[in-house]
């Protein structure tokens, strides 16, 4: 009780501090101030701002409609199926590598419990690299002593990456020759399944025959600082809203590796396994290179290419244990954003080529918007800094006040997601916008550079080769050219 009271008081103090800062900014503004050509400046920047905010509003409206209207209808239809919705077999496949023993035990324990409690024939498929993980699984299996309809299949894999682990697991499942009504839940090694997640997701595969896979809601426990914890929680709240919006079109943009459920008849297809294991990109400047990370994006792209729908189940949830890659918040954010945005942009560059006929017009636009937003997101700040240098520092103060107010409104809207909301969210929202855009621009011209934060592995290539030297210098030249053109346009606007 005392801890809860301290938490409430801390959050209340944080909100008071944030509102006081907004008040100080407002009080520092003069009663009147005129900028030469101000109407033109406001028209251009305001028009771009209205366009960007309208995209966010559309996502919010679509997300709320899905969460409170469309999804409850589908859930009611799924429940009416009764026993007809039961899958013929459930596979719970978990991949684990270099995760601490305590987290691994929590994950394995939740998987075994879920296998027992769902009540359907179930096989737990554990793709393990290290003997210690196998010993933990066997120890927990003996402890729970599952009934005969729950089986265990251990798959020993080399420590060459998650993609190989998934491929080995999928091939092990394919040897069972599962029928069209079997499902496969792919679980990451740091994901704890909340009770009932299998029963909450399985019926939708019978309800929607064209659906190939779905993903679930996520909450997190962060083993790091308060700021890092809030940063992750904000990310999951935003993810929930965007997933609801895209779920309305049955086109979620990623099948997160933390916990997604697939039709067994899809994941056992040789072309799907190949897409996950050997995914690669042929770039006009960087050449052809294999994907090291981003298996969730590869599986999504494979689903789109094969013509399946993807879905989101907001009331089926999991809990992830997040281990920041670095004690420093900035360095952790940079490493994680580098991986996330790299995965997204590598898939984006070819997913748009599928066209609106396969993706749908809204999804197709959202994919294009991912490229545009990395420039428009830093336009306001850049223009405000240039205008402050040319006219008056008052312009920058007014801009910061506007940012503070709008991010406060966005934070309040996130309450509707059901995820926790803290007083540092407005600041983190703007940090993600600016810092994230800079990382995304950097990554966009270096799609061949990849890293995996947990395994500390990276894309290996001969750094001394002529092709790699050419790639490195051409990436620098294109980044400098793009930034120069952007800054020139901002100068023209101001």
């Amino acid at each position: 009780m005392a801890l809860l009271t301290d938490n409430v008081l801390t959050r209340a103090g944080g909100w008071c501090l944030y509102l006081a800062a907004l008040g100080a900014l407002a009080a520092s503004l003069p009663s009147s101030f005129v900028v030469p050509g101000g109407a033109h400046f406001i028209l251009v920047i305001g028009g771009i701002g209205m366009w960007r905010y309208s995209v966010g509003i559309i996502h919010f409206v679509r997300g709320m409609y899905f969460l409170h209207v469309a999804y409850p209808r589908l859930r009611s239809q799924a429940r009416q199926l009764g026993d007809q919705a039961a899958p013929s077999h459930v596979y719970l496949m978990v991949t684990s590598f270099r995760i601490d023993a305590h987290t691994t035990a929590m994950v394995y324990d939740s998987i075994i419990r879920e296998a027992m409690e769902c009540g359907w024939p179930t096989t737990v498929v554990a793709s393990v690299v290290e003997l210690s993980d196998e010993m933990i699984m066997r120890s927990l299996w003996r402890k729970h002593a599952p009934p005969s309809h729950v089986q265990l299949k251990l798959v020993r894999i080399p420590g060459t990456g998650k993609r190989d682990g998934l491929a080995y697991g999928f091939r092990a499942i394919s040897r069972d020759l599962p029928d069209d009504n079997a499902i496969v839940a792919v679980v990451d090694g740091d994901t704890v399944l909340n009770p009932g997640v299998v029963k909450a997701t399985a019926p939708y595969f019978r309800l929607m025959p064209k659906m190939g896979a779905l993903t679930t809601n996520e909450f997190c426990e962060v083993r790091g600082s308060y700021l890092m914890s809030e940063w992750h929680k904000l990310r999951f709240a935003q993810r929930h809203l965007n997933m609801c919006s895209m779920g309305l079109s049955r086109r979620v943009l990623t099948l997160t590796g933390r916990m997604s459920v697939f039709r067994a008849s899809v994941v056992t297809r040789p072309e799907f396994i190949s897409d996950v294991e050997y995914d690669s990109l042929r770039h006009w400047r960087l050449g052809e290179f294999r994907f090291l990370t981003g298996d969730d994006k590869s599986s999504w792209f494979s689903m789109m290419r094969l013509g399946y729908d993807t879905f989101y189940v907001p009331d089926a949830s999991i809990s992830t244990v997040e281990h920041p890659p670095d004690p420093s918040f900035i360095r952790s954010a940079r490493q994680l954003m580098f991986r996330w945005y790299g995965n997204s942009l590598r898939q984006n560059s070819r997913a748009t080529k599928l066209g609106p006929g396969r993706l749908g017009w809204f999804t197709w636009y959202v994919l294009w918007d991912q490229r545009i937003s990395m420039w428009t997101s830093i336009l306001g700040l850049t223009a405000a800094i240039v205008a402050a240098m040319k006219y008056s520092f008052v312009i920058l103060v007014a801009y910061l006040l506007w940012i503070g107010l709008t991010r406060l409104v966005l934070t309040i809207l996130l309450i509707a997601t059901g995820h926790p909301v803290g007083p540092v969210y407005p600041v983190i929202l703007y940090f993600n916008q600016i810092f994230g855009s800079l990382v995304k621009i950097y990554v966009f011209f270096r799609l061949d550079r990849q890293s995996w934060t947990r395994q500390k592995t990276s894309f290996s290539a001969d750094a001394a080769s002529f092709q790699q030297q050419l790639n490195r210098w051409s990436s620098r030249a294109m980044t400098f050219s793009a930034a120069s053109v952007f800054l020139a346009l901002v100068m023209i606007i101001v």
Side-chain angles (χ1 to χ4, degrees):
M1 180 62 72
L3 183 61
L4 179 61
T5 303
D6 290 342
N7 188 42
V8 171
L9 290 175
T10 300
R11 288 181 177 270
W15 283 116
C16 290
L17 182 62
Y18 182 80
L19 294 175
L22 291 183
L25 286 173
S28 66
L29 291 174
S31 57
S32 63
F33 182 76
V34 178
V35 177
H40 168 76
F41 177 80
I42 292 175
L43 178 64
V44 176
I45 298 299
I48 295 174
M50 289 178 62
W51 164 47
R52 297 310 311 161
Y53 283 115
S54 67
V55 174
I57 291 171
I58 291 172
H59 272 299
F60 180 79
V61 173
R62 285 171 54 91
M64 291 301 100
Y65 179 81
F66 173 83
L67 192 60
H68 299 292
V69 180
Y71 176 72
R73 290 175 182 170
L74 291 171
R75 181 175 56 196
S76 177
Q77 295 172 16
R79 288 174 176 173
Q80 290 175 7
L81 293 176
D83 293 338
Q84 296 179 4
S88 59
H89 201 95
V90 176
Y91 291 89
L92 297 177
M93 192 180 87
V94 56
T95 57
S96 181
F97 181 48
R98 291 186 180 172
I99 299 174
D100 66 274
H102 177 68
T103 301
T104 299
M106 289 171 55
V107 172
Y108 287 174
D109 186 78
S110 70
I111 290 174
I112 296 172
R113 288 180 183 274
E114 190 64 20
M116 296 169 59
E117 293 173 4
C118 74
W120 297 318
T122 304
T123 300
V124 175
V125 181
S127 293
V128 298
V129 176
E130 297 161 323
L131 179 61
S132 58
D133 291 342
E134 179 179 344
M135 293 175 64
I136 292 173
M137 174 59 83
R138 291 190 182 279
S139 175
L140 289 170
W141 196 265
R142 289 192 296 269
K143 172 185 173 183
H144 289 286
S148 58
H149 69 273
V150 179
Q151 302 294 321
L152 173 64
K153 182 175 292 189
L154 283 165
V155 181
R156 294 297 299 270
I157 60 175
T160 51
K162 185 181 176 183
R163 288 180 178 274
D164 289 341
L166 292 172
Y168 275 72
F170 291 151
R171 292 192 181 99
I173 293 172
S174 67
R175 287 191 284 270
D176 286 352
L177 302 177
D179 60 28
D180 291 339
N181 295 323
I183 61 174
V184 178
V186 179
V187 184
D188 209 352
D190 55 3
T191 301
V192 178
L193 302 186
N194 292 335
V197 67
V198 172
K199 280 197 169 183
T201 54
Y204 296 100
F205 288 92
R206 288 294 184 98
L207 183 66
M208 296 178 278
K210 293 181 62 178
M211 186 185 70
L214 57 81
T215 192
T216 53
N217 198 357
E218 293 185 27
F219 297 87
C220 65
E221 174 190 343
V222 181
R223 306 287 173 82
S225 65
Y226 168 77
L227 188 59
M228 180 58 67
S229 176
E230 294 296 285
W231 185 65
H232 273 89
K233 291 174 182 177
L234 170 62
R235 174 175 170 262
F236 284 129
Q238 291 179 301
R239 174 191 179 275
H240 179 59
L241 182 60
N242 290 330
M243 283 288 188
C244 286
S245 174
M246 302 311 300
L248 188 62
S249 304
R250 300 184 186 179
R251 287 291 187 276
V252 298
L253 294 182
T254 183
L255 294 169
T256 176
R258 298 302 179 86
M259 164 64 173
S260 292
V261 189
F262 299 79
R263 288 189 186 275
S265 57
V266 175
V267 301
T268 55
R269 293 178 62 164
E271 56 266 45
F272 178 85
I273 298 176
S274 179
D275 283 345
V276 173
E277 187 175 16
Y278 301 113
D279 202 3
S280 63
L281 177 67
R282 180 177 291 278
H283 192 271
W284 68 273
R285 178 174 57 86
L286 302 172
E288 185 172 7
F289 52 89
R290 284 186 59 183
F291 292 172
L292 176 66
T293 63
D295 54 275
D296 52 349
K297 296 291 185 180
S298 297
S299 59
W300 172 83
F301 179 76
S302 186
M303 287 289 172
M304 294 296 100
R305 188 173 60 83
L306 295 173
Y308 290 97
D309 292 342
T310 54
F311 193 60
Y312 179 61
V313 182
D315 56 2
S317 65
I318 58 173
S319 298
T320 63
V321 183
E322 304 289 342
H323 298 83
D326 195 281
S328 167
F329 171 74
I330 296 295
R331 288 196 294 266
S332 284
R334 178 179 57 81
Q335 290 183 47
L336 291 170
M337 285 181 173
F338 184 88
R339 177 163 61 87
W340 297 337
Y341 294 151
N343 295 338
S344 178
L345 290 171
R346 277 185 286 273
Q347 294 298 340
N348 181 293
S349 63
R350 62 180 183 176
T352 51
K353 296 178 182 178
L354 295 175
R358 176 64 61 86
L359 297 172
W361 283 101
F362 184 75
T363 305
W364 188 69
Y365 170 76
V366 170
L367 288 172
W368 275 107
D369 188 65
Q370 289 179 351
R371 303 189 200 182
I372 300 169
S373 63
M374 62 185 177
W375 294 105
T376 57
S377 293
I378 59 174
L379 177 61
L381 177 61
T382 308
I385 293 174
V386 173
M389 295 171 62
K390 181 175 177 59
Y391 299 113
S392 172
F393 189 73
V394 172
I395 296 175
L396 185 58
V397 176
Y399 172 77
L400 293 177
L401 177 61
W402 167 255
I403 290 299
L405 291 172
T406 53
R407 271 54 191 177
L408 177 60
V409 172
L410 293 176
T411 300
I412 293 172
L413 292 178
L414 286 176
I415 295 175
T417 65
H419 284 249
V421 173
V424 76
Y425 276 27
V427 178
I428 302 178
L429 276 170
Y430 192 60
F431 168 81
N432 285 346
Q433 175 184 326
I434 302 301
F435 190 75
S437 294
L438 295 176
V439 173
K440 191 178 291 186
I441 291 170
Y442 181 85
V443 172
F444 181 74
F445 297 106
R446 296 164 178 81
L447 294 179
D448 58 328
R449 292 184 55 181
Q450 305 168 63
S451 64
W452 186 262
T453 50
R454 180 187 302 131
Q455 297 178 20
K456 303 299 181 185
T457 56
S458 60
F459 180 78
S460 61
D462 183 7
S465 70
F466 174 77
Q467 182 64 48
Q468 290 302 314
Q469 292 285 353
L470 180 62
N471 289 352
R472 184 178 298 110
W473 283 102
S474 64
S475 295
R476 292 172 181 172
M478 294 199 69
T479 305
F480 178 79
S481 300
S484 299
V485 171
F486 172 76
L487 186 59
L489 290 174
V490 174
M491 296 287 288
I492 293 172
I493 293 173
V494 175

